[in-house]
Amino acid sequence: MHDRIVARARTSTLTAVRTVFRGARWPGDVAVRHGRIEAVGVVAEEPGDEVIRCDGDLITAGLVNTHHHLYQWMTRGRCVGCDLFGWLVELYPVWGRLDVEDVRAAALVGLAELALTGCTTAADHHYLVPRGDDSVFDAIVDAARTVGIRVHLARGSMDLGESRGGLPPDHVVEDLDAILASTESVIARHHDGERVVVTVAPCSPFSVTPELMRASAELARRHGLRLHTHLAETVDEERDVLDRFGRRPVDLLDELGWIDGDVWVAHGIHFDDAEVARLGGAGTGVAHCPSSNARLGAGMCRVVDLEAAGAPVGLGVDGVASNEVGGLQPELRQALYTARQRANRAEAFMPTDALRLATEGGARCLGRDDLGRLEPGFRADLVVWPGDDLGDVPDPLAGLVLGPDRRARHVFVDGEPVVRDETLLGADERALRRDLTERARRLWT
Ligand SMILES: [Zn+2]
């Protein structure tokens, strides 16, 4: 069904002489040539420039989503009163019924929603491979190409089923050797280091074995790839790891070779002071997912302390089954509120801090030194935000972070248009949603 909804052409600016975004209220003009930012501020006109008027609007670097489970769009609005373990136990069997076309449909909608809300790079942690069919990863990559944004494809995995003391039912986990062979194959099929970046990503301490964690780290480092997993999301996880291993989650990961500068973890909430210092010293990144954490009552990440210790911190939507909002832009406001609530101080976290997390902090988590800043030489991943309602707001960036949820006016990746005039160019957004709704209904009958 997806074939008939992918058909709109994008015109490329990679071949144009130069594109100039002119007259934005912040930061002024931006010039783009050959997929890179050439100049920011005041740009003199050149013959042949393609000019895009941005009067009154804001331009930022494209947002970077450091943690997502795109497939979860199939199971929104369920288990709304559950904590993490209760929520997982109810949803694992449903996720076990997903097929490849379901994952494709969810990835198309999830990535479209991200693009429309200003996200240009998305990390998808996909750890469900029903019946061992790893073409689910091909489907996610296809969806990213259709929508037009970058994907950091985290080849997730689970090998610890219920019968061996894990949380997931046995029929949704894979065999360790099959996981490693498939991961090698996914790297060979898809990793290009720019538009599709593969990451090795065992799921969580309560769904994988220490053997899989060690073997995954070895495999990733042999290929020069990064590692990702869930860590310290809930007090239940901490108790489970203490019961089974006699140590705290960070100590366990450290023993397995995972507290290092090529790793970023999702959530990272329940760290003591010494653990925050260890993570910062090692340069281990944290994907902060404030709305998901709030929905599941998981706790509040120590963002200010982690950044002060030197840890990269980015923002994540997390799956839409625990967030219900698929856009990254509202997470900026939520991150600011969460940091201030945790610190009991308003000045602890400012709008520019939230924007930094969502752009360069996320790029650091993903190991991308070519993304996340609106500066000459960086890739031309940028967002033009409508500023029509912010004309009377003294600081437009504060208006963007604290004001109402908004969609991007235009989105460019590598200088190529992905969203123009709030419309996705690569596919018909409404058709994608209709297709997904039909598929999701089927799961529950
Ligand atoms: Zn997650």
Side-chain angles (χ1 to χ4, degrees), residues 24-52:
R25 183 175 170 202
W26 196 92
D29 306 329
V30 177
V32 168
R33 195 193 298 267
H34 300 310
R36 297 268 177 176
I37 295 166
E38 184 180 79
V40 178
V42 178
V43 175
E45 208 163 310
E46 283 182 9
D49 280 351
E50 179 199 11
V51 174
I52 296 174

Side-chain angles (χ1 to χ4, degrees), residues 134-220:
D134 78 353
S135 66
V136 285
F137 299 101
D138 307 345
I140 295 164
V141 171
D142 285 350
R145 290 197 202 287
T146 298
V147 170
I149 70 173
R150 280 175 221 287
V151 66
H152 279 235
L153 181 66
R155 200 298 181 193
S157 53
M158 303 192 290
D159 72 333
L160 186 69
E162 223 170 353
S163 64
R164 297 166 67 203
L167 191 69
D170 289 356
H171 72 275
V172 301
V173 309
E174 297 174 88
D175 171 69
L176 188 149
D177 290 335
I179 290 166
L180 298 177
S182 161
T183 305
E184 290 277 4
S185 172
V186 169
I187 293 166
R189 298 206 297 272
H190 295 299
H191 179 78
D192 65 19
E194 291 183 3
R195 297 296 283 257
V196 181
V197 176
V198 177
T199 293
V200 185
C203 188
S204 59
F206 48 85
S207 63
V208 306
T209 60
E211 293 74 31
L212 178 59
M213 294 295 283
R214 276 205 189 86
S216 295
E218 190 279 323
L219 191 160

Side-chain angles (χ1 to χ4, degrees), residues 67-69 125 127 230 233 266-267 318-319:
H67 186 69
H68 209 311
H69 310 287
H125 189 183
Y127 53 82
H230 292 92
E233 182 173 358
H267 306 297
D318 204 2

